[in-house]
Amino acid sequence: MTHSFEFISQHPDETIQLGKRLAKYLRRGDIVCLEGDLGTGKTTLTKGIAQGLRVTSEYIHSPTFVLMNIYEGKIPLYHFDFYRLEDPHQIAAIGYEEFLYGRGVAVIEWAERLGELTPQARLEVKISHQGENSRKFEFFARGDRYQQLLKMVL
């Protein structure tokens, strides 16, 4: 059974709060895959997760040109952005697996570009525009760990 959860954000501050709420229950080795068009709030949600993980950097931005940023916090945050990824196998060069299954939390923007390399167990978040400032966040648990995670977040 796949557990899911839906949230409507009316303002970027609500998206930040959603990320902070989620971060309370994230632990080392967790993977959060974000999907959505440009400007839907992937990076804003990641900023909230970073705040919830007490990341020391106040400048969380999308790592579009470097594929990944590492932020230190109570748990490290590995922030991936695959917007410019043309071939999923390009990420092998950065040793992505050690970060996906490492000592931190991995948040992946444009996760759909991973194709066959998408981790089977993950928290999947699909984000869509609902209006000028309104966004819909649909959370899907892929695997037992993420089903438990969604139950805690609810």
Side-chain angles (χ1 to χ4, degrees), residues 107-123:
V107 175
I108 306 168
E109 294 190 34
W110 299 95
E112 64 272 23
R113 297 185 182 216
L114 277 171
E116 65 188 35
L117 299 179
T118 303
Q120 293 232 350
R122 66 192 183 277
L123 179 62

Side-chain angles (χ1 to χ4, degrees), residues 43 46-47 50 53 55 57-73 75-82 94 96 99-100 104-109:
T43 302
T46 303
K47 287 178 183 182
L53 295 176
V55 164
S57 174
E58 54 188 86
Y59 301 106
I60 306 298
H61 61 278
S62 190
T64 303
F65 295 100
V66 294
L67 296 181
M68 182 184 66
N69 285 331
I70 301 173
Y71 299 104
E72 291 300 324
I75 299 174
L77 173 62
Y78 306 128
H79 182 196
F80 293 88
D81 184 325
F82 293 146
I94 65 171
Y96 78 103
F99 296 104
L100 286 186
V105 170
V107 175
I108 306 168
E109 294 190 34

Side-chain angles (χ1 to χ4, degrees), residues 112-147:
E112 64 272 23
R113 297 185 182 216
L114 277 171
E116 65 188 35
L117 299 179
T118 303
Q120 293 232 350
R122 66 192 183 277
L123 179 62
E124 189 174 284
V125 184
K126 295 183 185 222
I127 310 168
S128 58
H129 291 278
Q130 298 295 298
E132 187 175 335
N133 291 315
S134 181
R135 305 291 186 267
K136 179 165 80 170
F137 293 81
E138 297 175 277
F139 292 79
F140 299 94
R142 308 293 186 208
D144 293 341
R145 159 67 187 137
Y146 300 98
Q147 290 180 23

